[in-house]
Amino acid sequence: MNAVPPAAPTRARVPVWARRTFDMIPTPWLITGGTGALLAFTAAFGGLDTVPAPPAPELAVGDEFTGSDLSITVVGVEITDTRRGSGVFPDQDKGERVLTIFVDVTNEYSRPRPVSTSLTHSPVVDGITVEGLSTGKPSIARADDSTSAVVLQPDVTAPLIVSWTVPGDAVRAGDEVRITLPDSTRVVGESVVRGEFWTDVVVGARVTAHVHEGVAPE
């Protein structure tokens, strides 16, 4: 008796309306949806492997740091009762003093840039901070002529003073401080806002320096 071969499996029929609906979905949507599903699956099982960011370099006074299209060199750190031209006015009755960082800054970008943050830009020189001090944004002026609202010209080094008012017991001569210098990424705005911008601000470098007792210029 001849064996009867098994019947071939029948393929499930997809309704016509379903095929038409699938055909109407744009291909990029399908790719995006598939990518989203893959990311969701990956996240559920431990996420994507990320490469940790390298630590910010540790520098000393006189070392040059390049970031945010700027070259910044910390020249020295001073504590004094007053500093003419700094734009900082301590309350001496409260024992306040002026902490000043001297920096040489060169704009390595092709256009002039202000030293302070505008409404559409991330911190520039005003992103410099002193670790452990809640000082807020500094006052910035030229060290040679006390000009404020400084604009950095391309490829021209500007000697600047970066100053804060601090409590008299916060920083003393001989103390060691760590200064953070900002770094960021330059992007080009093409839709809502046009122009070049520096975003995603991070600590680009840390500078260890000793504070010196200063004599305010007459």
Side-chain angles (χ1 to χ4, degrees):
M1 181 176 181
N2 296 329
V4 179
T10 58
R11 179 178 297 178
R13 298 185 62 186
V14 179
V16 174
W17 66 267
R19 291 202 304 270
R20 290 179 178 175
T21 302
F22 185 83
D23 291 340
M24 293 173 63
I25 301 176
T27 301
W29 289 15
L30 297 176
I31 296 174
T32 302
T35 303
L38 176 62
L39 291 175
F41 177 83
T42 305
F45 289 91
L48 299 172
D49 292 334
T50 58
V51 178
E58 299 285 343
L59 306 179
V61 171
D63 291 340
E64 182 183 76
F65 166 71
T66 300
S68 302
D69 294 303
L70 298 173
S71 171
I72 304 176
T73 302
V74 174
V75 178
V77 184
E78 170 195 272
I79 189 75
T80 188
D81 291 334
T82 61
R83 169 146 289 281
R84 181 172 57 84
S86 66
V88 172
F89 306 98
D91 188 335
Q92 296 184 0
D93 292 337
K94 295 181 179 179
E96 293 178 343
R97 306 193 78 194
V98 179
L99 177 66
T100 299
I101 300 174
F102 295 81
V103 294
D104 288 339
V105 181
T106 304
N107 176 16
E108 297 186 343
Y109 189 53
S110 59
R111 297 180 182 177
R113 296 176 63 188
V115 296
S116 298
T117 306
S118 67
L119 294 177
T120 56
H121 289 70
S122 295
V124 191
V125 182
D126 61 349
I128 295 176
T129 66
V130 179
E131 290 188 345
L133 292 180
S134 300
T135 51
K137 284 189 177 297
S139 175
I140 303 172
R142 287 189 64 99
D144 50 0
D145 61 12
S146 301
T147 300
S148 58
V150 180
V151 176
L152 300 171
Q153 300 299 324
D155 300 321
V156 177
T157 300
L160 304 177
I161 52 175
V162 182
S163 305
W164 299 265
T165 296
V166 297
D169 58 355
V171 181
R172 294 185 173 89
D175 287 351
E176 185 178 86
V177 294
R178 296 184 78 202
I179 303 161
T180 67
L181 305 180
D183 194 6
S184 57
T185 302
R186 175 163 52 90
V187 297
V188 179
E190 297 179 348
S191 55
V192 179
V193 180
R194 296 184 179 275
E196 291 80 20
F197 308 95
W198 286 261
T199 63
D200 301 326
V201 181
V202 297
V203 175
R206 290 180 172 87
V207 180
T208 300
H210 285 90
V211 180
H212 297 276
E213 183 71 30
V215 178
E218 296 296 334

